[in-house]
């Protein structure tokens, strides 16, 4: 039986009912239920607009229809409802306390605040709608937005087919369920908005429960558990949903549970409920959360299952999605529940980026920590200089730099301090950030042809060039050198100019020195691990500075022809015979084969200035890594970075799109965009958020906790031609005839600005876009309107207005000789909007 026949049958049944019974034939989605008492704090914390939408708008209709459609699918869960309502209310109150509200007159005042719309819509609809909202959180947690929306579309379609089958079989069905199935399908855009609200809530709640959430996700990362073994969307999701509700209901009520599948773990992470967890590995490890909402005894026991070669790590879910694209076979998709390591904090980003800067400047060789100490020393020097010259112009400049926490050098020094604090803690994540920063240095730090900057002076070549003596250069390179992974002290050597000028043929003579202390054994048989260690140096002619060498440094004479071999070191070199002859221990050095002569090992330039002093090494496997995959930045960013363009609003917004959502958008495409909305945040050009008298920098943005109820990344643009109220001929009676008296008087106290949206909502197509049904970037026409006492005055493009040459910021100069009754001849006082819209053509008295 087709859905159309079900619709006709419903109509026929209705016609046969009595008048009294027929009164129930109304749109059931208009019914509003009283939410459970535990949800009241959530409702009080919601903004008025979101609460109204949740109770009467599209979110309420979606929640009501989904609740009716899936009526009877899930078990009753009274304990879970009580715990979940208490948790969301607790989070809502915490958000309200931590978030500063936007000023009442702000154009974004109606859109700020957390998004709990889907939760309140479900709470005021039905218990089943609450179950559906819990499912929305589960899907938003593990799937990206396009996949999650595709799952919802397929769930709705298959559930309607299931209801049709039950109708054909004569099964009893509730009227709302039949009505929900008989109505037109829930639109994809409504399902996308439903998913976006749940996604925004998750991000906000994660920020409030960050400690518990991170601990929980770290536990999950060590597991290998599937959420479901089924690939069919409907059966897989429904079974996981039911399993999660049943197991969490038992845990919350105090019944211990043991699981070998992932639904309950996914549910707990999505609903922010934290029972004590017992992980059965080689040894039993208990993680105590002490969540007050979990009754005593509600412990979750998880066993480690054996991980196959092709099986992903963590809690994972595989589905075959048939509604991902307009054309083609179902797309096999796989997702994993773990911490989102693709997202890092700004401090972590700075730590990785500064590691790349230090590496690219070639200051520190392999030792980032040596470069960090150098940065900290320079900061200390700047502080001393600022204090000693506090009354001079230079002191003022240094003080301004040191007070600005966002100055690039303060960011670098802060990252350097973090490096040093965790230098002896190899398990800290900062070591991973240092490594990724170094590996991405070639694409993250762009070379320019500009004049020598401060960072160029951290370059080891620049420093070596400005050192006075050979010993200083050698000592500097030794401090920066590290042994290779095989701990072989002969893996690195220093080639240096002896500093005594050219020989009789006009060529410089090069010497050789050890970079790491080596055994000082004088014979092959005494070359043991217990031998004394020290540095060695090989020179052709006697140096006056040799006597200043540290203790245990031995100086050898080198043949002239051996020194000449070291001149063209840009091609690398092998150990000269005179060096090998003086060091029998080279034949038995650790990590090199005894069957291969040491002269076959070629040293390559590592860092330093080859003409004066540089380190050369034998590359080890750990140094010859190759990064797989696409590690480069897009051509868009590369072109901008190399152009040296100053960071403006377009580039700042493009950075937000990249770091918040992972989209690479050409800044040129954002020339009209004044704000970006994504999940639980709105990023607005500061020009729109401050007094017009202020002059914020072009790249300044303000982050507002809130959203506009749209899925994906929304780019807000003004209309091409904003409208203004036409002149009203009858307003001539209220035009001002008062001369300006020089007083600051506000005649526009009833003026307000409002933000509304038109139906212009189109996707932005990127070069690498796949032909998916759901786009993730949209351009939304957003109108900033001016109202006076509730009446519309006109729409404005604030960014365009601020660029207009007619917009001038006058300095605030106090009037010294103002007298009562003084007037400015020819200047009228603007006291209403009619004066602004219908100004005088010339000066008038």
């Amino acid at each position: 039986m087709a859905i159309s026949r079900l619709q006709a049958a419903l109509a026929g049944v209705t016609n046969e009912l009595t008048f009294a019974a027929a009164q129930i034939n109304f749109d059931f989605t208009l019914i509003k239920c009283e939410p459970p008492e535990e949800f009241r704090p959530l409702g009080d914390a919601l903004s008025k607009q979101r609460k109204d939408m949740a109770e009467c708008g599209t979110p309420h209709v979606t929640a009501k229809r989904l609740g009716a459609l899936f009526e009877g699918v899930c078990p009753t869960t009274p304990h879970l409802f009580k715990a979940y309502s208490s948790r969301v209310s607790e989070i809502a109150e915490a958000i309200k306390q931590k978030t500063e509200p936007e000023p009442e007159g702000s154009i974004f005042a109606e859109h700020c605040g957390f998004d709990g719309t889907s939760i309140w819509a479900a709470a005021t609809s039905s218990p089943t709608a609450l179950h559906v909202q819990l499912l929305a959180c589960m899907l938003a947690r593990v799937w990206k937005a396009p996949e999650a929306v595709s799952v919802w579309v397929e769930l709705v379609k298959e559930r309607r087919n299931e209801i049709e089958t039950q109708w054909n079989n004569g099964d009893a069905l509730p009227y709302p369920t039949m009505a929900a199935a008989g109505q037109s399908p829930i639109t994809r855009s409504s399902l996308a908005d439903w998913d976006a609200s749940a996604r925004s809530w998750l991000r906000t709640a994660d920020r409030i429960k960050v400690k518990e959430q991170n601990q929980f996700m770290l536990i999950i990362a060590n597991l290998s558990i599937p959420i479901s073994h089924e690939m069919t969307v409907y059966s897989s999701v429904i079974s996981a949903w039911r399993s999660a509700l049943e197991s969490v209901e038992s845990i919350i009520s105090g019944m211990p549970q043991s699981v070998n599948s992932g639904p309950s773990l996914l549910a707990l992470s999505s609903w922010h409920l934290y029972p004590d967890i017992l992980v059965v590995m080689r040894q039993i490890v208990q993680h105590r959360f002490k969540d007050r909402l979990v009754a005593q005894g509600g412990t979750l026991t998880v066993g480690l299952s054996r991980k196959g070669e092709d099986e992903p790590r963590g809690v994972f879910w595989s589905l075959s999605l048939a509604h991902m694209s307009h054309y083609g076979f179902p797309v096999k998709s796989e997702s994993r529940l773990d911490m989102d390591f693709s997202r890092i904090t700004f401090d972590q980003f700075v730590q990785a980026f500064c590691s790349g800067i230090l590496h690219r400047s070639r200051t520190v060789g392999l030792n980032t920590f040596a470069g960090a100490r150098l940065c900290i020393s320079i900061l200390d020097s700047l502080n001393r200089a600022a204090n000693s010259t506090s009354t001079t112009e230079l002191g003022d400049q240094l003080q301004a730099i040191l007070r600005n926490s966002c100055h690039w050098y303060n960011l670098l020094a802060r990252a350097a301090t973090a490096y040093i604090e965790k230098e002896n803690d190899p398990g800290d994540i900062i070591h991973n950030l240092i490594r990724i920063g170094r590996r991405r240095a070639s694409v993250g730090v762009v070379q320019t042809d500009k004049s020598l900057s401060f960072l160029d002076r951290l370059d080891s070549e620049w420093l070596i060039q400005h050192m006075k003596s050979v010993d200083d250069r050698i000592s500097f390179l030794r401090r920066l050198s590290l042994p290779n992974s095989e701990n072989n002290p002969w893996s690195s050597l220093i080639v240096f100019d002896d500093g005594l000028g050219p020989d009789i043929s006009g060529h410089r003579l090069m010497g050789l020195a050890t970079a790491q202390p080596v055994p000082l054994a004088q014979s092959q048989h005494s070359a043991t691990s217990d031998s004394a260690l020290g540095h060695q140096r090989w020179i052709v002619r006697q140096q006056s500075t040799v006597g200043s060498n540290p203790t245990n440094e031995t100086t050898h004479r080198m043949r002239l022809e051996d020194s000449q071999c070291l001149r063209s070191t840009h091609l690398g070199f092998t150990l000269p015979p005179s060096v090998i002859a003086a060091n029998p221990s080279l034949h038995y050095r650790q990590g090199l084969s005894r069957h291969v002569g040491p002269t076959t090992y070629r040293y390559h330039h590592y860092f330093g200035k080859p003409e004066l002093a540089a380190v050369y090494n034998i590359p080890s496997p750990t140094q010859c890594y190759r990064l797989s995959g696409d590690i480069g930045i897009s051509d868009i960013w590369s072109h901008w970075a190399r152009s040296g363009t100053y960071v403006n609003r377009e580039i700042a917004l493009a950075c937000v799109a990249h770091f918040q959502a992972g989209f690479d958008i050409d800044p040129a495409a954002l020339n009209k965009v004044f704000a970006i909305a994504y999940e639980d945040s709105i990023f607005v050009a500061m020009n729109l958020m401050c007094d017009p008298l202020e002059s914020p920098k072009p790249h300044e943005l303000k982050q507002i906790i809130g959203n506009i109820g749209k899925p994906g990344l929304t780019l807000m643009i003004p209309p091409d031609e904003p409208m203004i109220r036409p002149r009203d001929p009858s307003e001539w009676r209220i035009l001002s005839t008062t001369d300006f008296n020089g007083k600051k008087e506000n005649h526009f106290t009833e003026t307000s600005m409002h933000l509304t949206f038109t139906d212009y909502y189109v996707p932005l197509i990127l070069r690498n876009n796949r032909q998916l049904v759901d786009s993730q970037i949209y351009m939304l026409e957003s109108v900033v309107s001016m109202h006076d006492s509730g009446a519309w005055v006109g729409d404005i493009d604030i960014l365009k207005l601020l660029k207009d040459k007619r917009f001038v910021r006058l300095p605030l100069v106090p009037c010294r000789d103002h007298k009562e009754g003084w007037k400015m001849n020819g200047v009228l006082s603007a006291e209403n909007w009619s004066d602004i819209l219908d100004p005088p053509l010339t000066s008038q008295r």
Side-chain angles (χ1 to χ4, degrees):
M1 181 176 181
I3 291 293
S4 59
R5 293 179 60 193
L6 176 58
Q7 294 171 334
L10 284 171
V13 169
T14 304
N15 291 332
E16 296 173 2
L17 295 176
T18 64
F19 175 76
Q23 292 182 359
I24 68 171
N25 186 21
F26 58 87
D27 189 352
F28 70 93
T29 62
L30 299 178
I31 302 174
K32 174 191 169 185
C33 301
E34 283 298 314
E37 189 61 32
E38 291 81 6
F39 278 107
R40 290 291 178 186
L42 171 68
D44 295 338
L46 282 175
S47 66
K48 183 179 183 303
Q49 184 191 34
R50 288 202 172 90
K51 192 172 183 180
D52 290 344
M53 289 292 292
E55 293 177 353
C56 309
T58 302
H60 181 81
V61 174
T62 303
K64 199 75 178 178
R65 292 189 63 183
L66 287 174
L69 198 64
F70 290 94
E71 185 71 40
V73 172
C74 301
T76 56
T77 56
H79 295 94
L80 172 58
F81 280 165
K82 186 173 181 179
Y84 184 63
S85 59
S86 299
R87 180 51 38 89
V88 298
S89 295
E90 171 194 328
I91 293 172
E93 290 179 326
I95 298 168
K96 195 172 182 179
Q97 293 174 2
K98 292 184 177 182
T99 306
E100 294 184 5
E102 278 296 300
E104 190 174 344
S106 169
I107 60 175
F108 289 96
E110 295 180 351
H111 303 280
C112 68
F114 70 94
D115 187 354
T117 309
S118 64
I119 304 175
W120 190 251
T124 56
S125 295
S126 66
T128 306
L130 273 173
H131 283 148
V132 174
Q133 199 280 330
L134 293 173
L135 175 61
C137 291
M138 291 174 63
L139 296 177
R141 172 69 75 193
V142 74
W143 294 105
K144 294 181 180 179
E147 287 90 344
V149 174
S150 298
V151 169
W152 277 114
V153 171
E154 197 152 346
L155 285 177
V156 171
K157 177 184 176 182
E158 293 301 321
R159 176 56 179 164
R160 295 178 81 218
N161 292 337
E162 186 177 60
I163 293 171
E164 177 186 338
T165 301
Q166 292 175 342
W167 173 269
N168 289 331
N169 294 336
D171 297 339
L173 291 170
Y175 174 81
T177 301
M178 293 192 300
Q183 292 175 347
S184 59
I186 303 174
T187 64
R188 194 179 187 102
S189 61
S190 297
L191 294 173
D193 293 345
W194 178 255
D195 172 76
S197 179
R199 203 170 292 275
S200 176
W201 167 256
L202 284 182
R203 191 166 181 179
T204 303
D206 287 348
R207 190 166 57 247
I208 298 298
K209 307 296 290 185
V210 59
K211 181 180 178 181
E212 296 90 340
Q213 192 69 17
N214 286 347
Q215 183 181 352
F216 189 89
M217 299 305 286
L218 285 172
I219 296 171
I220 289 177
N222 293 319
L223 305 175
S224 181
I225 299 177
I227 293 175
S228 175
H229 290 286
E230 297 186 57
M231 289 293 294
T232 305
V233 170
Y234 186 76
S235 57
S236 178
V237 173
I238 295 299
S239 63
W241 185 20
R242 286 172 175 163
S243 174
L245 292 172
E246 291 171 352
S247 60
V248 175
E249 170 71 12
S250 298
I251 292 171
I252 296 300
S253 60
M255 296 175 59
Q257 295 288 301
S258 177
V259 298
N260 288 314
S261 58
S264 56
L265 296 172
L266 171 59
L268 291 169
S269 71
S270 306
W271 306 336
H272 300 91
L273 300 171
Y274 307 101
D276 293 345
I277 298 179
L278 202 65
V279 180
V280 181
M281 303 173 67
R282 294 178 181 175
Q283 57 183 4
I284 299 176
V285 181
Q286 187 168 19
H287 302 271
R288 295 187 180 275
F289 288 90
K290 299 179 180 179
D291 193 335
R292 63 178 180 82
L293 299 180
V294 180
Q296 186 175 3
T299 303
L300 181 66
T301 302
V302 183
L304 256 187
S305 56
R306 188 177 298 275
K307 179 178 178 291
E309 293 183 1
D310 299 327
E311 197 170 81
R313 191 174 184 82
V315 178
F316 53 93
W317 201 350
S318 298
L319 292 175
S320 180
L321 303 178
H323 294 269
M324 275 284 290
S325 57
H326 292 283
Y327 175 79
F329 294 107
V331 179
K332 182 180 179 181
S333 301
E334 187 171 85
S335 188
R336 189 161 54 101
L337 177 64
D338 59 8
M339 296 182 70
D340 188 0
F341 291 107
S342 65
R343 303 182 66 88
I344 57 176
T345 65
F346 180 73
D347 285 340
Q348 290 174 330
F349 169 75
V350 171
Q351 290 161 10
F353 189 77
C354 290
S355 171
I357 289 178
L358 293 175
H359 181 72
R360 190 62 182 263
S361 66
R362 295 165 292 175
T363 305
V364 294
L366 273 180
N367 195 345
T368 300
F369 299 101
R373 292 189 186 90
L374 178 60
C375 291
I376 295 172
S377 299
I378 293 173
L379 183 63
D380 292 340
S381 299
L382 291 176
N383 276 300
R384 290 194 298 270
N387 293 330
S388 62
T389 60
S390 57
T391 59
T392 65
E393 182 179 353
L394 175 61
D396 292 340
Q397 293 175 353
L398 292 176
Q399 290 287 359
I401 291 175
L402 295 172
R403 284 195 300 266
N404 183 4
S405 61
C406 294
H407 189 275
W408 66 266
Y409 191 74
N410 288 325
L411 294 175
L412 180 63
R414 194 158 67 236
T417 302
Y419 296 160
I420 301 304
E421 289 176 352
K422 300 297 182 180
E423 181 178 7
N424 298 320
D425 185 4
D428 193 86
I429 194 173
I430 199 169
H431 293 272
N432 300 83
L433 295 170
I434 290 173
R435 293 188 190 99
I436 197 65
R438 292 166 57 83
R439 294 186 180 190
R440 301 299 190 271
S442 60
V443 294
V445 183
V446 181
Q447 298 280 36
T448 65
D449 297 328
K450 295 187 176 182
S451 59
L452 198 66
S453 66
F454 173 79
L455 281 179
D456 294 320
R457 287 174 169 79
L458 294 183
D459 191 323
S460 59
E461 293 189 17
W462 190 92
L463 292 171
I464 289 169
Q465 184 176 350
H466 289 79
M467 289 180 180
K468 296 180 179 179
S469 69
V470 175
D471 283 345
D472 288 341
R473 294 167 184 163
I474 294 176
S475 177
F476 172 70
L477 292 176
R478 282 173 174 167
R479 286 199 301 271
L480 299 183
S481 300
L482 289 175
N484 68 355
S485 60
E486 299 168 346
N487 201 28
N488 174 24
W490 289 101
S491 63
S492 299
L493 293 173
I494 298 172
V495 176
F496 61 92
D497 176 12
D498 65 7
L500 300 179
D503 60 9
I504 56 175
S505 62
H507 297 291
R508 290 183 176 183
L509 292 177
M510 309 301 290
L512 196 66
T514 55
Q516 298 291 321
V518 297
L520 297 179
Q522 296 300 315
S523 67
Q524 172 177 326
H525 300 289
S526 61
T528 65
S529 59
D530 297 328
S531 302
L533 298 177
H535 282 289
Q536 300 189 45
R537 191 181 301 191
W538 292 264
I539 57 175
V540 176
R541 49 193 177 185
Q542 188 63 39
Q543 295 172 291
S544 59
T545 57
V546 169
S548 64
N549 290 341
T551 308
N552 289 338
E553 178 156 7
T554 305
T555 303
H556 305 279
R557 298 303 295 263
M558 183 189 296
R559 293 183 304 178
L560 179 62
E561 54 269 28
D562 290 342
S563 175
Q564 292 172 344
C565 293
L566 298 176
R567 288 178 188 161
S568 301
T569 49
H570 63 283
L571 299 176
F573 66 92
T574 56
L575 284 179
S578 56
V579 176
I580 299 174
N583 290 273
S585 62
L586 281 173
H587 294 282
Y588 295 93
R589 62 189 183 279
Q590 186 179 14
L592 298 181
S593 171
R594 300 186 183 187
H595 302 290
V596 182
T599 55
T600 62
Y601 288 91
R602 191 166 188 82
Y603 287 77
H604 299 270
H605 177 257
Y606 195 24
F607 64 93
K609 192 173 183 64
E611 300 81 16
L612 296 177
V615 174
Y616 293 76
N617 75 345
I618 304 172
S620 66
T622 57
Q623 296 162 353
C624 297
Y625 57 79
R626 181 176 67 86
L627 298 178
S628 60
D630 181 15
I631 64 168
I633 57 177
S634 68
D635 295 338
I636 295 171
W637 290 97
S638 178
H639 172 74
W640 162 71
R642 295 182 186 278
S643 69
T645 304
Y646 186 76
V647 179
N648 54 24
R649 172 179 48 83
E650 293 89 340
I651 293 171
L653 291 172
C655 288
V656 168
H658 177 77
F659 289 114
Q660 285 288 320
F663 299 120
D664 280 336
I665 305 176
D666 189 342
L670 304 176
N671 63 325
K672 294 179 60 179
V673 176
F674 64 84
I676 286 180
Y678 182 70
E679 293 190 350
D680 68 339
S681 296
I682 305 174
F683 300 87
V684 192
M686 186 59 78
N687 283 325
L688 277 73
M689 306 304 295
C690 62
D691 192 295
L693 191 62
E694 300 178 33
S695 300
K697 294 179 181 179
H699 64 268
E700 285 191 71
L701 305 176
K702 180 175 181 179
Q703 180 181 9
I704 299 172
I705 301 301
N707 66 21
I708 59 173
K710 299 290 185 181
L713 188 77
T714 305
L715 310 176
M716 287 180 262
I717 59 174
D720 288 334
E721 297 293 337
M723 297 185 298
I724 299 177
R725 185 180 71 193
R727 297 176 184 176
D728 186 350
S730 64
E731 290 182 345
W732 63 270
R733 294 171 299 175
I734 61 174
L735 292 176
S736 174
T737 58
T738 307
D739 290 335
F740 179 53
N741 59 9
K743 295 181 180 180
K744 293 188 295 183
E745 297 175 340
N746 185 3
H747 293 279
F748 298 90
T749 55
E750 299 301 318
T751 297
S752 59
M753 297 173 65
H754 304 269
L755 179 67
T756 57
F757 308 113
T758 70
D759 292 332
Y760 183 84
Y761 184 62
V762 297
L764 178 68
I765 306 300
L766 301 180
R767 290 182 300 174
N768 58 350
N769 263 36
R770 293 167 56 194
Q771 292 179 318
L772 302 179
V773 176
D774 299 290
S775 177
Q776 287 300 292
I777 311 176
Y778 286 90
M779 305 284 279
L780 175 62
E781 190 173 58
S782 308
V783 182
V784 179
S785 302
M786 192 86 69
H787 289 74
D788 184 53
S789 300
W792 176 70
V793 176
D795 304 329
I796 57 175
D797 182 345
I798 297 179
L799 296 179
K800 185 178 180 180
L801 181 150
L802 295 175
K803 293 178 182 179
D804 196 298
K805 292 186 294 184
R806 293 169 293 179
F807 177 78
V808 180
R809 293 181 176 90
L810 296 176
L812 293 175
V813 180
C815 184
R816 298 179 180 177
D817 302 321
H818 176 73
K819 297 180 180 179
E820 191 67 30
W822 175 87
K823 297 181 180 181
M824 296 181 66
N825 292 331
V827 179
L828 296 178
S829 173
E831 299 179 354
N832 55 65
W833 279 103
S834 296
D835 292 331
I836 304 296
L837 299 177
D838 191 9
L841 298 178
T842 59
S843 62
Q844 303 176 16
R845 289 197 63 178

